Amino acid sequence: TIAPLFILGFDNPSTAITIEQARSESLRIIADIKGNNNGDIVTNAIAFINSGYTLQMLLDSYLELNLTSKTKIDYKFTIEHYLTDWMKKQVKDISKQMVVERFNLITNTGFKGGIPTHSQASKTMRVLSALLNYAIGYDHLDTNVCEVLKLRRITKHNKRKDTFLTASQTSRMVGKLQKNPRHQAINFILHTGVRKDECLSLQWEDIKVIDGIKYILIKNTKNKRDHIIPITPIIQDVLDTMLEHQREY
């Protein structure tokens, strides 16, 4: 049962070997078993498999997880665009120096003619780090080379946005949007705090009533947990206006 594993190379042509090589490797492992050297068997098999485990294979495997479609698209673009020349590299061959140099390139020069951006460099390495941690969990790697950015204090935390619209600014903005067809959607987002995608996916049947209290059930959230928003008088006014002008919401 061991030989076919080596012959197939886990669907990766670069790791596939001949029948004779597989037979030889299988006999060696069987000899280890008979010699009670069982502790080395798994380690040796994993090392053999990992010898051809590329970044593209890691990304494909990671994207099979239960992620939102938006996250999958975002991660796929980030890795395949900013690390496009790494896709065929074996994961174990991605070095700390490669990580540092690519981070600095995106930050200081820009990648593929793009504008220099520290936030995109941080995002790229954050996504790569998530993939490498996933690989560590399945024994494809021992360490995460992205940690070098923290250890060398190369990364810096992006300052979170701390500017918010005041009540008067919100009122003026809503007033200027009166004739905009997206007015009610924006008004709804302002008063509920839902994300754009959450707002656009709402249906009338998402309005629920429990014990006489009306609320909106928000599904398909970023953290995959449904949450509820009580319908205040202002939100009710927005919903009433939508209902008056509805086509097919």
Side-chain angles (χ1 to χ4, degrees), residues 136-153:
I136 291 172
Y138 284 91
D139 296 321
H140 291 300
L141 289 174
D142 294 323
T143 59
N144 186 335
V145 292
C146 289
E147 291 296 319
V148 68
L149 297 173
K150 294 180 181 178
L151 295 174
R152 296 186 186 179
R153 297 184 177 275

Side-chain angles (χ1 to χ4, degrees), residues 181 183-184 204 237-249:
H183 165 250
Q184 293 304 330
W204 287 110
D237 288 341
V238 173
L239 294 174
D240 290 342
T241 302
M242 288 181 176
L243 189 59
E244 291 175 5
H245 299 89
Q246 82 162 347
R247 288 171 292 180
E248 185 61 36
Y249 292 103

